[in-house]
Amino acid sequence: MNRESGSVISTVSGDSVEIDQSAVRSVDAERVELRQAAAQHVRGESLEVSDSAMLSVRGSDVRMEDCAAGLVLGERVTMRECGSLLVFARHVDGDTKSVITPAAAFAFGLGAVTAIMVVRRLRRR
């Protein structure tokens, strides 16, 4: 088991990783626990995160409490008092505030396709 506290870490990997009050670039482990930490990329089977900020999170069972994340990918995601830019999961529990909802993603895609079609028609003239 790796345990780090109060430092800036580049990369951490292993079976079980606990990180408290630290900043880390990349975490890759079977079981990950982050408390009051900042991370760029977090990967694992089971993730428990509290009071932390992450750029991307990927895991089978992701549990987050009072966190912020850019991208969350998982089989089962539980979020309490969390904010995220984008969540892709088979099952989501809890109260999350996502910036990009399915309706917003559809509207963005429709707008992008329309813009591409208009630009192509203008180029033909």
Side-chain angles (χ1 to χ4, degrees):
M1 177 167 87
N2 291 342
R3 183 170 176 83
E4 297 288 341
S5 180
S7 59
V8 177
I9 307 158
S10 177
T11 303
V12 176
S13 62
D15 291 335
S16 182
V17 174
E18 292 182 29
I19 299 175
D20 297 323
Q21 297 179 346
S22 298
V24 62
R25 176 172 285 162
S26 177
V27 178
D28 188 2
E30 191 76 24
R31 189 177 79 76
V32 178
E33 287 186 38
L34 297 176
R35 286 180 294 280
Q36 296 179 348
Q40 280 186 347
H41 307 288
V42 180
R43 272 188 307 213
E45 286 295 316
S46 174
L47 293 106
E48 290 192 29
V49 185
S50 63
D51 300 316
S52 299
M54 289 90 33
L55 184 61
S56 70
V57 177
R58 184 170 59 182
S60 294
D61 183 21
V62 179
R63 293 184 202 133
M64 298 170 57
E65 185 172 333
D66 197 25
C67 295
L71 173 65
V72 180
L73 301 167
E75 291 289 321
R76 181 175 193 87
V77 176
T78 304
M79 302 176 88
R80 305 272 184 244
E81 301 293 324
C82 294
S84 64
L85 184 62
L86 193 57
V87 176
F88 287 110
R90 290 185 189 250
H91 188 77
V92 179
D93 288 326
D95 53 340
T96 180
K97 297 172 191 126
S98 292
V99 175
I100 300 175
T101 62
F106 178 76
F108 176 78
L110 184 61
V113 168
T114 304
I116 290 169
M117 289 173 57
V118 168
V119 168
R120 284 185 179 174
R121 285 191 180 244
L122 291 174
R123 283 187 180 174
R124 288 183 189 173
R125 291 183 181 182

